[in-house]
Amino acid sequence: MITGNLKASYAADERVFDNRNKWAFFAASLAVLAGMAGFANDYVILVACQMGILLIAVVGVNVVTGYTGLISLGHAAFVAVGAYTVAIFHAGFAGVIPDGLMALIAIPVAVAVSALVGIIVGLPSLRVKGLYLAVATLSANFIVIFLIEQEAFAHWTGGMVGINTPAPDFFGWELDTKREMFVLIAALGVLTLLAVQNLFRTRVGRAFIAIRDRDYSAEIMGISLLRYKLTSFAISAALCGLSGALFAYFYARILPEQFELALSLELVAAMIVGGMGRTMGPVFGVIVIVMVPEVIKSLFGVATGGEASMAQLLAPLQDIAFGLLIVLFLLFEPLGLNHMADRALRAMNRWPFAR
Amino acid sequence: MGQFLQFAINGLMSGAIYALIAVGIVSVFKATKVVNFAHGYVIMVGAYFYYTFAVLIPGAEWAPAWLASWQPGWLMEMREGLPMFSPMGAVLDWVQNLPRILFGLAGAVLANAALGLLIERTLMRPLMGQSVFAMIMITVGLISILAGAAQLVWTADADFVPHIAPNAPVRFEMFGTTIFLFGADIVNMIVALLIFGAIVAMVRFTKSGVAIRATAEDQSTAYSMGISVPKVFSRAWMLAAATGAIAGAILATRNGISPSLGLFGFSVLAIVLMGGLDSYVGVFIAALAVGVLEAMTQWQLGGDWAEIVPYVAVLVVILIRPHGLFGQKEVERI
């Protein structure tokens, strides 16, 4: 039990930040992000940008899998849809829409298109759940990537070799450095987290959680499964679309193979490692999932002394570490890092009494 | 018509191999209620074991010469004066390779069964009774571990392995058109069908098969009736891995060996769900149907469209019949 947490009204109980510690944590996070934007070196900015892009997508997966209980192994498809929508929109409307407004229109369009695709992919969720849904979404991922790679659409998508993507431009301010992109990504990342935290104090969010806990009971209580399952898919796909849009803006070129099953698994892995159905879970998870390969890379570099003949062993080692992360967390800490953080905080709160 | 028949037969042959892969997923699901997303990668490792025992070990310096290439006197005599690429020559080539093929298959089956046992003991047993989600995600994590391990041990370079049967071309007339097949493909199909049939018969008629079926019906009742459920679990995993090794060897002879063999697992997973997870008959029909559909797509639309056929087919089937063509409808207690 958390002490010092007296609530005198329902309104106070339902606040986004329901105690002062959360406010303090939020303010501190903002300060750290601002400090990073100003002072961090280029490598840190690059890694942080990758984390931010991945974070938004993981939050999306968390909405559908963590909160609504629908297993999805195909969310990379929505990231792909978002990224390609931005690229195609920029190419298609070049000259029609002034450059300064392009990104402001392209990002919402990408989000909307992804949400629409999400509703279509979510349709099987009305009939099936559990692993049938996992395979249905996995199939959707294969199909979407396959369509992107087709020669017939290569005029728009670039086919197998990918497509160059523009840098975003807000009213003439072009975000052409990684540092400027970091500001955009961090701002949208924080907004996403706040929006999701807020979502789960509303009727819709509670409906999601009810469906996760027992879908039949939820239906008996008057929650329309049709409506809320599809809403859940739409919201999560929309977030993945946003992540995809940022992906397209951040990198100079996107390739279809970047959005294959491996990315879907990475999103799910980050969610499991961080903690499913928790707001901060994706944050912890993404940090671990992005940092572990980087740490292995640097350790590997030290261990082998940068020998070229050993370099081909790096990727398999990273693969194994990634798989082990999923397996070990499921075996030993299925509630994820967030739960570990909870325990640590609780122990601190109760110190010096029980652990 | 001639083209149609040719592609239909090709499709049936790859369908039989899909069925052989699928039998591993179905067996594990029947016994343990876990759907093994990593089965394709278990197969890939099996293929690499075949490669190790049929190519790498016979090629080693310390291996006896007859293992790499068996050349008894009568064989060499028969080879004398044969023209190049004759069917007889293909058979004799195969006889030469026979020791290492048999050694490779035996080694692959044993090594992969050990791998299946290892997976069951270390990853699945601790999760007994946990949620479906955790079980599925463990096998998803296993995908990366197996893929990484295979690259680490055998490197990612593609290579070739000996065919398990003489690869002589076979031509025959059917409905007035000439059908053209490869001997190895026909034998592969027969092997796949035999193993599939043997496993179905085993589950139906033997004592351990009854144990598997009883466990599938109700784990705790089976336990209280004196069936050792953990033993059933490890048997199912070993069976799946061992059949997977043969499937892997066959796939490797058809497509060459590389870590991307694991991707077959996903299309077979789609096939299994299409047929109904716990129905051998349904999965068999679905496997043949998808094989033929793939061949037809290849014929009409070109090779790359064939690769998404299983995924489109499973989506259509799931939307119409959520538990597959022949799957049992799950009864849920509220």
Side-chain angles (χ1 to χ4, degrees), chain A residues 58 61-62 65-66 266-277 281-282 285, chain B residues 133:
Chain A
V58 176
V61 177
N62 199 16
T65 306
E266 205 171 319
L267 297 178
V268 175
M271 183 188 65
I272 291 174
V273 169
M276 290 196 300
Chain B
F133 180 80

Side-chain angles (χ1 to χ4, degrees), chain A residues 183-200:
Chain A
V183 176
L184 176 68
I185 292 171
L188 287 175
V190 170
L191 277 180
T192 308
L193 282 175
L194 282 179
V196 170
Q197 172 77 358
N198 186 46
L199 177 68
F200 290 97

Side-chain angles (χ1 to χ4, degrees), chain B residues 106-118:
Chain B
V109 165
L110 289 178
N112 228 30
L115 174 75
L117 188 64
L118 181 76

Side-chain angles (χ1 to χ4, degrees), chain B residues 302-333:
Chain B
D304 17 321
W305 284 88
E307 71 188 57
I308 57 161
V309 165
Y311 305 115
V312 176
V314 75
L315 280 181
V316 172
V317 169
I318 279 186
L319 278 177
I320 299 167
R321 285 184 63 91
H323 292 279
L325 294 172
F326 292 85
Q328 224 173 41
K329 200 169 182 322
E330 260 173 74
V331 180
E332 256 188 282
R333 206 172 278 170

Side-chain angles (χ1 to χ4, degrees), chain B residues 55-105:
Chain B
V55 175
L56 294 182
I57 291 183
E61 270 180 34
W62 42 266
W66 55 265
L67 190 58
S69 177
W70 189 41
Q71 293 168 331
W74 55 270
L75 193 71
M76 301 324 285
E77 268 171 40
M78 284 177 78
R79 283 197 77 113
E80 296 285 325
L82 270 180
M84 291 268 277
F85 302 117
S86 67
M88 195 61 200
V91 173
L92 292 181
D93 276 348
W94 172 69
V95 172
Q96 255 185 19
N97 277 329
L98 198 55
R100 65 176 180 148
I101 292 170
L102 291 178
F103 184 64
L105 282 178

Side-chain angles (χ1 to χ4, degrees), chain B:
Chain B
M1 184 64 191
Q3 285 267 20
F4 176 81
L5 261 181
Q6 173 78 58
F7 275 97
I9 291 175
N10 284 352
L12 285 177
M13 289 198 297
S14 46
I17 292 165
Y18 284 148
L20 177 60
I21 303 174
V23 85
I25 299 180
V26 178
S27 301
V28 166
F29 178 79
K30 260 179 127 53
T32 68
K33 294 274 174 285
V34 175
V35 175
N36 186 5
F37 273 66
H39 192 62
Y41 289 81
V42 173
I43 284 171
M44 182 265 295
V45 173
Y48 270 108
F49 280 133
Y50 178 63
Y51 171 65
T52 310
F53 287 102
V55 175
L56 294 182
I57 291 183
E61 270 180 34
W62 42 266
W66 55 265
L67 190 58
S69 177
W70 189 41
Q71 293 168 331
W74 55 270
L75 193 71
M76 301 324 285
E77 268 171 40
M78 284 177 78
R79 283 197 77 113
E80 296 285 325
L82 270 180
M84 291 268 277
F85 302 117
S86 67
M88 195 61 200
V91 173
L92 292 181
D93 276 348
W94 172 69
V95 172
Q96 255 185 19
N97 277 329
L98 198 55
R100 65 176 180 148
I101 292 170
L102 291 178
F103 184 64
L105 282 178
V109 165
L110 289 178
N112 228 30
L115 174 75
L117 188 64
L118 181 76
I119 293 171
E120 200 274 329
R121 276 294 160 87
T122 53
L123 301 181
M124 291 297 147
R125 185 101 26 118
L127 277 183
M128 250 169 105
Q130 295 268 355
S131 69
V132 182
F133 180 80
M135 300 270 214
I136 294 179
M137 292 326 292
I138 286 258
T139 63
V140 168
L142 197 59
I143 292 176
S144 299
I145 297 180
L146 290 177
Q151 280 186 45
L152 205 60
V153 177
W154 288 286
T155 74
D157 303 332
D159 209 334
F160 293 97
V161 291
H163 280 278
I164 61 170
N167 200 20
V170 179
R171 253 187 227 106
F172 59 92
E173 295 274 322
M174 201 190 225
F175 302 116
T177 50
T178 315
I179 308 286
F180 185 84
L181 300 172
F182 282 102
D185 284 342
I186 299 173
V187 177
N188 286 346
M189 178 173 81
I190 294 169
V191 168
L193 293 181
L194 281 181
I195 293 175
F196 191 94
I199 286 175
V200 173
M202 190 210 92
V203 171
R204 185 125 198 94
F205 298 116
T206 67
K207 208 168 173 186
S208 53
V210 174
I212 288 182
R213 277 190 293 151
T215 313
E217 203 74 34
D218 189 326
Q219 283 183 8
S220 35
T221 311
Y223 222 145
S224 60
M225 292 303 210
I227 292 168
S228 168
V229 174
K231 218 175 241 170
V232 170
F233 282 18
S234 39
R235 272 203 208 122
W237 272 93
M238 281 163 70
L239 184 72
T243 55
I246 295 174
I250 289 176
L251 280 180
T253 59
R254 282 160 51 109
N255 307 10
I257 189 153
S258 71
S260 61
L261 276 182
L263 289 175
F264 274 94
F266 297 116
S267 38
V268 173
L269 199 61
I271 290 171
V272 169
L273 287 201
M274 228 174 108
L277 261 170
D278 48 5
S279 156
Y280 283 113
V281 181
V283 166
F284 186 72
I285 293 171
L288 293 190
V290 166
V292 172
L293 263 179
E294 268 190 10
M296 293 302 151
T297 317
Q298 200 174 8
W299 175 32
Q300 292 296 340
L301 295 171
D304 17 321
W305 284 88
E307 71 188 57
I308 57 161
V309 165
Y311 305 115
V312 176
V314 75
L315 280 181
V316 172
V317 169
I318 279 186
L319 278 177
I320 299 167
R321 285 184 63 91
H323 292 279
L325 294 172
F326 292 85
Q328 224 173 41
K329 200 169 182 322
E330 260 173 74
V331 180
E332 256 188 282
R333 206 172 278 170
I334 299 178

Side-chain angles (χ1 to χ4, degrees), chain A residues 123-315:
Chain A
L123 280 178
S125 72
L126 303 174
R127 302 270 297 178
V128 297
K129 55 190 179 184
L131 90 122
Y132 287 89
L133 186 61
V135 173
T137 48
L138 186 126
S139 303
N141 192 352
F142 277 110
I143 293 170
V144 166
I145 299 305
F146 175 80
L147 290 178
I148 289 173
E149 283 178 350
Q150 273 314 295
E151 273 307 304
F153 308 122
H155 174 65
W156 298 285
T157 63
M160 299 280 281
V161 291
I163 186 170
N164 284 328
T165 53
D169 186 336
F170 293 100
F171 309 113
W173 179 34
E174 200 179 339
L175 305 182
D176 49 0
T177 66
K178 299 289 181 226
R179 201 169 291 271
E180 285 165 326
M181 275 306 292
F182 173 75
V183 176
L184 176 68
I185 292 171
L188 287 175
V190 170
L191 277 180
T192 308
L193 282 175
L194 282 179
V196 170
Q197 172 77 358
N198 186 46
L199 177 68
F200 290 97
R201 335 168 13 240
T202 63
R203 184 190 179 83
V204 180
R206 283 195 301 269
F208 288 173
I209 292 174
I211 292 174
R212 173 189 70 188
D213 290 344
R214 204 79 183 96
D215 48 355
Y216 292 120
S217 317
E219 200 172 12
I220 289 165
M221 291 199 300
I223 293 168
S224 158
L225 291 188
L226 167 77
R227 193 168 140 208
Y228 285 106
K229 279 186 174 176
L230 289 187
T231 312
S232 172
F233 257 97
I235 291 175
S236 89
L239 290 177
C240 285
L242 176 62
S243 155
L246 292 175
F247 192 100
Y249 283 134
F250 182 70
Y251 294 102
R253 190 174 182 82
I254 50 177
L255 297 165
E257 66 199 41
Q258 288 168 312
F259 306 104
E260 276 175 2
L261 189 64
L263 179 62
S264 291
L265 297 188
E266 205 171 319
L267 297 178
V268 175
M271 183 188 65
I272 291 174
V273 169
M276 290 196 300
R278 302 291 304 270
T279 312
M280 284 303 285
V283 180
F284 293 124
V286 160
I287 291 174
V288 171
I289 286 289
V290 174
M291 283 313 289
V292 163
E294 296 288 326
V295 169
I296 290 179
K297 196 158 105 188
S298 50
L299 284 182
F300 191 79
V302 174
T304 60
E307 230 178 292
S309 62
M310 302 288 280
Q312 59 166 349
L313 296 181
L314 177 60

